[in-house]
Amino acid sequence: MTTVLHKQEQVTLDTFLRGIWEENPVFVMLLGMCPVLAVTNSTLNAIAMGLATLFVLVASGTLVSLLRKMIPREVRIATYIIIIATFVTMVDYTIQAISLDLYNSLGAFIQLIVVNCVILGRAEAYASRQRVGAAVVNALGMGVGFTLALLCLGTVRELLGAGTILGYPIFSPNFEPWVVMILPPGGFFVLGGWLLLFEWIKQRRERRTLQAQGATAHGS
Amino acid sequence: MSEGVQARPQTSSLAMLRTLGGIAMISGFLVVLVFQWTKPIIAENKRIAIEKAVFRVVPNAVSRRDFILAPEGLSPVGKKAKGETVYAAYNAKGELQGVALETVATGYQDVIRILYGYDPQCECVTGIKVLKMTETPGLGDKIAYDPDFLKNFHGLDGKLSADKSGLAHPIAAVKHGSKSEPWQIDSISGATISSKAIGRMINASGQRMFPLIQRYLSGFRPPVTVAAQGGEPPGSDLQ
Amino acid sequence: MDPESVQFIFLNAAIVNNFVLALFLGICPFLGVSAKKETAWNMGLATMFVMLVSSVCAYGINLLLVRFNIEFLRLISYIAVIASAVQLVEMALKKFSPGLSRAMGIFLPLITTNCAILGLALFQTFREYNFVQSLAFSIGAGVGFTLALMLMSGLREKLELARVPSVSQGAAMSLMLAGLLSLAFMGFAGLGSSHA
């Protein structure tokens, strides 16, 4: 037996939402860190990168899921990588056609989507085992989750580092930008900050449920 | 990984080859499709980008033509000639307004690449545009937009020395507020290294290229041959 | 220093524009395998080696692609070459040096999806380095990667002994540390430019 039978998942709202919150690729699974840190020095870059990744995720997920019965186990990783690289090349040329400025500011990171672990991870762990519908919905959720995470970083960094959002000034002219935020260290700090925030929310919620359980246990 | 493969019944090599071959076909088809579709659009985008930059550093320019310039001579782009690509820019009457050149040097973080315009008539630099840099935002990156700094390059002196082998006065950036000669560049305070890099790269390129431009000046013919006849010096109304 | 010179390219890739701390390439292994100095060292060595091999391969492939005018296949062929280079290295190690293979073994497959490797291949193509420059660039990048990994693992080993608030344990703390390290590395900017 080369293929293990996997439970076919029913497509529910959860298939989509999981990628946004519970299994958020950036904040929870800590995958695909390189683009997250590198291209989030402005909101526009973050959006463009997020959408590009979203497209590659969905397209490669669809193709992998369609071909899942035909791909021998031994060459599966090679096949996935070729599929992903194909879609990334397509995105690369499309972005060049849309705007050269955008392409230049994203630099090599468009092509580096190929080695984004989120995409290969999804292809291997989900798309290769599920029906097309589920794979597409799940990839969409993951892609949206990834884009949102990039946005979280991008807006904070642009706001603090340049005092603008999408190029529009937000603060009064007296605001002195924290330049470090758009420099490399800022990426680490802001992502660290977000992780702290989420961890704090999680711990608080756990404490709440624990207290609630304690209260009911006491009551009965 | 290979142990895992041995433990399982082997998939036939044919199946593996078939899959990889099939995938490669699909991927090749998709990539070529997108490549063919975007090729003209990208070429057009690149042309517009270069044109915009050239017209910014050479005032009054409306058309351009690319040449390859080397000590051996000047030739239009396209022939397999060795040398540096220069962009000659012309005004509406088809008269040569200036030549735009690319140059690089190491700045504070990484390489800075700029395009600058040179007017062979007044023997001066007419403007610069930063093409690529990773200088510190808020400090070094002012070289791209600081109006006082950019004003340095409106008529920056680049006269040739008496024997026409180089510049009479080396172009260089000086400390903020101490510019006294027309061939000096007033640095941005707080971004001296980036400013000096600009001075250095224009000087290096100028020492090498300005004599060549002057020597082969008659070769810069406009794209459509409606050029001013008799080699009458055009563009003297610039100043 | 001349921006095209081998020394400058090496220094720039290793320290000034450190792959991990300034260009954000190879963050996953940087956060993942930097808990212990020994594993960090092995990972660094393995990466350095693969970088060298794939840089040479990428240089050759690019020559072929340009020769036949099919640059649009660059990305696909690079990633295929890197994946096979990693496999080859793995097999060769297993055959000729079982000891080293055991030490590096588990890291090698991970390296395929390390963006530092593909990034290196792409950057050397964009910057149009010649063969010697590419070699200097890849060795510099490898040294820089190992350096960042070693520094980080040293810091994290010390941090084990410190008491930190429970909220900041784990990834958040590592990221903050990496931020400080990156801040420190910014001090190297300007190193190698001829005017101080």
Side-chain angles (χ1 to χ4, degrees), chain C residues 59-96:
Chain C
Y59 184 79
I61 290 280
N62 191 44
L63 280 186
L64 278 181
L65 291 178
V66 172
R67 172 85 181 68
F68 292 108
N69 246 330
I70 43 171
E71 281 108 330
F72 53 86
L73 289 178
R74 181 178 289 142
L75 187 63
I76 299 181
S77 37
Y78 275 12
I79 189 75
V81 162
I82 290 171
S84 4
V86 172
Q87 287 275 308
L88 278 180
V89 169
E90 201 181 355
M91 283 185 229
L93 270 185
K94 211 168 253 169
K95 184 138 172 70
F96 298 115

Side-chain angles (χ1 to χ4, degrees), chain C residues 1 16 32 34 61 69 123 128 138 145 153 169 177 179 193:
Chain C
M1 228 184 277
V16 182
S34 63
I61 290 280
N69 246 330
F123 279 139
E128 296 173 354
S138 66
F145 183 80
S153 61
Q169 265 163 4
L177 260 186
S193 37

